Amino acid sequence: MKKIIVLIAFIVTPMLTNAQSLFDSLEDMDGVDMVVVTKDAFQLLKKFQPKDVKSDDNEVIQAFEMINDLNEFKMFSTDDLSIASKMEKMVNTSIKSKKLTELVRIKEDDSRIKIYVKATNSKDYVSEVLMFVKGVNKKTKNNVDSVIISLTGNIDINKMSDFTDKIVKENK
């Protein structure tokens, strides 16, 4: 019995580690810019949160509230056509393997944006947000740049929506 359990553990462990690190192979590629913020960094940032300011009025406080339950932020970008193609395939694989739900699809000028989420039991929270942005050259219809943004944790969709709306209104 112990041998069977050990055998199953050896089989399952690589699957779990591969699923978690699908985009990690991009980190070592030439031509890919990246930013990775870990849970430890979010914990450290929380220590700098001002205590005297009301959250309703201050975007900085709202941002601090949103990062309270984040595990990881990853962003990868490239303007290399072959890498961009690999990135799109990785995103499609991740969508299928993690059973992500499409939330938004935007076509604006020469950009295509798709946002996917991993639902939780609560309708107000998701455990993952995956965004893929693809810039397209209008003349050649070829990809000119691509960006993957992955955010994991206990993400409050209402807070994120309110914060985004406020930023968009201020930048108009």
Side-chain angles (χ1 to χ4, degrees), residues 48-50 55 57-66 163:
F48 293 99
Q49 180 176 356
S55 66
D57 303 329
N58 191 311
E59 290 110 14
V60 173
I61 298 300
Q62 288 176 336
F64 273 108
E65 288 176 355
M66 283 190 335
F163 180 72

Side-chain angles (χ1 to χ4, degrees), residues 37-52 60-72 152-154 159:
V37 182
T38 65
K39 186 170 184 70
D40 291 335
F42 290 125
Q43 296 295 324
L44 184 64
L45 282 173
K46 282 195 283 188
K47 294 180 184 207
F48 293 99
Q49 180 176 356
K51 307 286 186 226
D52 309 358
V60 173
I61 298 300
Q62 288 176 336
F64 273 108
E65 288 176 355
M66 283 190 335
I67 67 171
N68 276 339
D69 295 320
L70 293 181
N71 292 334
E72 194 168 53
T152 59
N154 192 27
K159 284 183 184 177

Side-chain angles (χ1 to χ4, degrees), residues 18 72 82:
N18 284 342
E72 194 168 53
S82 66

